[in-house]
Amino acid sequence: MEFRQLEYFVAVAEECHFTRAARRMRVAQSGLSASIRALEVELGAPLFLRSTRQVELTQAGRALLVEARRVLGSVDAARNAVAGVQGLLRGTLSVGSVQCLHAVHLPEVLARFHDRHPGVEIRLRQGGSGELAEEVRAGRLDLAFITSAPAGDLPQSTLDTEPMVLVCGPESRFAQEDSVFLADLSGESFVDFNPDWGTRDDVDRALAQAGVERRVAVEVNDVHSLLDFVGFGLGVALVPESFRHKPTRARFVPITDAPTTGTSVVTGASVSAAASVLLDMVLEGRALATG
């Protein structure tokens, strides 16, 4: 069994497609397929169920995937350890983030990281908080910036917290109010993010605790669409106070019993050298910003 075979196997397992996996690994598909077949022969079991539409792991493949990721992770850690002794960083840094990250200006931070450590390949993925936390647990992401805390099994650092405000259309009955209570929102139609996306989980919990049964009429996965739908009267929404700075025709109204939402960075139990450096940059930057 060769190291490269495990890399090819993990790529196919994650992409669920031989062509995409070959493109990701920058090899000919025929060579990648031959490597997987040789691995199956050596192990004496099929690793994938192949069809014209998709590729799925067999039970043997699922068992191998756990160990293959562990082996590849150990090799990366060994390389990073040697590079660390030499004062170098190399390898891959996989980062996850929710959209409209307020606590950290991620493009700027990643650009500074790249300038200092050009030997590290940066990969970024956006998604929902729960999805990103699961990717960290599985070892597919080194760290992730999320807006809802995971189950508590991941190491995490809180970057900031902020109150939420009501956003409504200019013709809404709330538009001219100085403030509202959560209970006042009973019976309103809501615009919100998809489940597990953005601050949706925080809003669900806050309204449930306030005894407000709500109907989400419009579900979106980006901030600007949410504000547009609200601005044209298709519902109200609860959003972080920092959204006030975004261009919109909607109105922002303080909430007297406002819930809060926070941003955290989560890592796996084992943190790579590159992830540790990025985490230090983020935490130092937050300390300077709030100091």
Side-chain angles (χ1 to χ4, degrees):
M1 187 182 302
E2 298 178 357
F3 179 75
R4 180 60 65 178
Q5 285 178 307
L6 293 181
E7 288 186 316
Y8 290 168
F9 164 73
V10 171
V12 175
E14 292 181 348
E15 298 292 341
C16 296
H17 200 279
F18 276 82
T19 301
R20 289 196 296 269
R23 189 180 303 121
R24 166 174 154 181
M25 300 303 299
R26 300 176 182 175
V27 297
Q29 181 178 336
S30 58
L32 181 141
S33 297
S35 179
I36 296 296
R37 286 195 295 271
L39 183 60
E40 290 176 320
V41 169
E42 179 176 350
L43 294 174
L47 301 174
F48 296 102
L49 297 174
R50 302 164 173 84
S51 69
T52 56
R53 293 189 175 183
Q54 62 183 2
V55 176
E56 296 181 1
L57 285 167
T58 63
Q59 185 174 355
R62 289 192 292 272
L64 178 61
L65 182 59
V66 174
E67 295 303 318
R69 284 178 171 151
R70 182 184 62 79
V71 170
L72 296 179
S74 297
V75 172
D76 285 341
R79 287 173 174 167
N80 289 335
V82 174
V85 171
Q86 297 174 318
L88 303 172
L89 280 182
R90 64 183 65 177
T92 301
L93 174 64
S94 297
V95 180
S97 177
V98 294
Q99 286 188 352
C100 289
L101 187 63
H102 171 66
V104 178
H105 193 259
L106 196 54
E108 179 185 357
V109 172
L110 292 181
R112 284 195 288 113
F113 179 92
H114 177 69
D115 287 342
R116 297 177 187 179
H117 309 287
V120 178
E121 178 186 357
I122 300 173
R123 297 176 182 170
L124 176 67
R125 175 177 180 182
Q126 289 188 327
S129 294
E131 173 192 4
L132 294 175
E134 184 56 38
E135 292 290 291
V136 172
R137 288 190 189 95
R140 292 187 286 272
L141 290 175
D142 293 303
L143 74 168
F145 299 92
I146 62 174
T147 54
S148 298
D153 58 325
L154 293 175
Q156 69 180 87
S157 299
T158 300
L159 300 179
D160 81 340
T161 57
E162 59 179 317
M164 304 193 80
V165 297
L166 175 70
V167 59
C168 61
E171 292 80 25
S172 168
R173 64 189 177 100
F174 302 115
Q176 304 304 319
E177 295 291 332
D178 293 330
S179 65
V180 298
F181 287 91
L182 289 176
D184 296 334
L185 306 180
S186 181
E188 292 289 322
S189 291
F190 282 81
V191 179
D192 211 332
F193 298 109
N194 293 319
D196 190 42
W197 197 270
T199 54
R200 173 66 181 265
D201 293 342
D202 292 330
V203 174
D204 284 343
R205 282 193 295 269
L207 291 175
Q209 290 171 0
V212 176
E213 294 186 12
R214 67 164 181 161
R215 180 177 68 90
V216 180
V218 180
E219 291 185 329
V220 299
N221 62 4
D222 72 280
V223 173
H224 300 291
S225 293
L226 182 146
L227 294 177
D228 281 345
F229 282 114
V230 170
F232 282 93
L234 292 174
V236 300
L238 270 63
V239 300
E241 188 177 39
S242 56
F243 283 18
R244 284 180 178 273
H245 304 295
K246 298 185 180 299
T248 176
R249 71 193 302 270
R251 303 289 188 267
F252 293 87
V253 183
I255 301 173
T256 302
D257 52 343
T260 59
T261 184
T263 300
S264 300
V265 56
V266 295
T267 63
S270 176
V271 184
S272 70
S276 180
V277 169
L278 179 64
L279 185 59
D280 287 344
M281 290 175 61
V282 169
L283 296 179
E284 288 171 6
R286 290 301 300 168
L288 291 173
T290 58

